[in-house]
Amino acid sequence: MSVQSSEKVVTTRVLQEMKRRGEKISMLTAYDYSTAQIVDAAGIDVILVGDSAANVMAGFQTTLPITLDQMIYHGASVVRGVKRALVIVDLPFGTYQGNSKEALCSAIRIMKETAADAIKLEGGAEILDSVKRILSAGIPIMGHLGLTPQSINKFGSYTVRAREEAEARKLLEDAHLLEEAGCFAVTLEKIPATLATQVAREVAIPVIGIGAGSGVDGQVLVLHDMLGINNEFSPRFLRRYADLYGAINGAVKQYIEDVKNREFPNEKEQY
Ligand code: KIV
């Protein structure tokens, strides 16, 4: 009998222990093998194969068009590059909202065909049946509340969510529902920091924020945004840690110049 020899260092249980210890959780997106390898080797705790791939990899305006097959392609590519981090794959729009049986089939395809560790989906009470059915099959789920980009056509804009009391109350209730159902963590996107802090205090599962302030248990950013590959997106919550747009643009310009001036390749760079 053969057993898998390599054990994942970061598991859902490890994340829960980190919350208990007060140790912050780091999370970034990745969509392909090569960048997943770099991000994992740097020591990130969680890699999210986000449906933001629709925006940053494919150039769509929203996350709605990306398909389950495409998410599986990205997910499997990332998993092949990761040794340590927990890998979560987003269930794309239209693959889990309709009915819980379809949701389970989508989640099973992700787990079987990517070998990821968990899935993420957007919403609270309205998708609870799907959440429970997926969890009953032993598939770990990270919830996602606040600004949920798959509902952009309902919201009409990407502005801060849950500023009004009724929406804030619903978000709090949804976070409790997801925790009670058995989700291992929840992402909160673009909501007031005070509300996010309250959620993180009230639930025992890790709360990961993006544009949700510092009072949560961890942070997530889209890799292309924080590396400055995507220069057109500048929300207040985004901190840029590099200017890869400038670095890549400069390198490509230098290459073009070297080719045109016959400086590349030189004698040592040929056979
Ligand atoms: O798809 C994504 O990248 C996400 C993050 C913004 C949390 O869901």
Side-chain angles (χ1 to χ4, degrees):
M1 189 179 84
S2 81
V3 287
Q4 239 178 332
S5 58
S6 64
E7 266 195 23
K8 266 291 169 77
V9 179
V10 184
T11 61
T12 57
R13 182 168 293 210
V14 166
L15 297 182
Q16 271 153 11
E17 281 161 11
M18 286 170 79
K19 169 157 181 150
R20 257 204 313 277
R21 286 199 306 270
E23 184 184 340
K24 297 282 185 184
I25 296 164
S26 61
M27 172 162 148
L28 281 171
T29 65
Y31 316 98
D32 68 279
Y33 170 79
S34 302
T35 45
Q37 262 192 326
I38 299 171
V39 171
D40 186 54
I44 201 81
D45 297 314
V46 184
I47 294 181
L48 171 67
V49 185
D51 59 357
S52 51
N55 310 123
V56 297
M57 300 301 287
F60 288 113
Q61 288 293 317
T62 74
T63 57
L64 273 60
I66 200 159
T67 65
L68 188 57
D69 283 338
Q70 288 164 340
M71 287 305 298
I72 287 170
Y73 171 79
H74 288 296
S77 306
V78 166
V79 168
R80 283 192 289 272
V82 172
K83 292 195 177 111
R84 178 187 176 277
L86 185 91
V87 179
I88 303 172
V89 178
D90 265 343
L91 278 190
F93 176 68
T95 65
Y96 62 95
Q97 295 96 338
N99 68 64
S100 62
K101 192 173 170 197
E102 195 188 344
L104 178 58
C105 290
S106 306
I108 287 176
R109 277 203 63 202
I110 297 257
M111 300 302 283
K112 262 187 186 296
E113 296 177 43
T114 71
D117 303 300
I119 57 116
K120 175 165 84 56
L121 39 71
E122 297 181 7
E126 49 291 316
I127 53 142
L128 202 60
D129 284 349
S130 296
V131 167
K132 286 182 177 165
R133 195 146 181 182
I134 294 169
L135 286 168
S136 73
I139 299 173
I141 299 182
M142 171 180 271
H144 184 152
L145 300 170
L147 175 63
T148 46
Q150 292 179 11
S151 308
I152 180 60
N153 292 317
K154 179 174 145 198
F155 295 144
S157 82
Y158 290 101
T159 51
V160 179
R161 306 301 311 172
R163 280 196 195 279
E164 305 300 326
E165 205 190 316
E167 198 184 339
R169 206 176 321 111
K170 178 176 174 352
L171 187 144
L172 208 51
E173 282 165 14
D174 281 344
H176 282 286
L177 281 178
L178 293 174
E179 177 182 34
E180 281 155 24
C183 290
F184 74 89
V186 63
T187 290
L188 297 181
E189 181 165 355
K190 227 172 169 186
I191 63 167
T194 47
L195 175 62
T197 305
Q198 187 182 352
V199 175
R201 283 199 187 125
E202 286 192 17
V203 299
I205 56 175
V207 174
I208 312 296
I210 173 164
S214 61
V216 290
D217 307 304
Q219 300 292 329
V220 57
L221 286 175
V222 169
L223 188 69
H224 289 57
D225 299 339
M226 63 86 76
L227 290 180
I229 296 178
N230 174 10
N231 269 346
E232 283 147 22
F233 184 62
S234 300
R236 189 209 293 208
F237 68 77
L238 175 62
R239 186 180 295 179
R240 286 215 175 89
Y241 287 84
D243 171 23
L244 285 202
Y245 182 96
I248 295 171
N249 187 268
V252 172
K253 280 187 174 145
Q254 185 63 57
Y255 168 74
I256 295 168
E257 204 180 303
D258 289 353
V259 170
K260 302 277 180 197
N261 295 337
R262 297 175 167 73
E263 277 168 24
F264 176 80
N266 63 25
E267 276 182 17
K268 287 185 192 153
E269 290 163 332
Q270 63 191 18
Y271 299 97

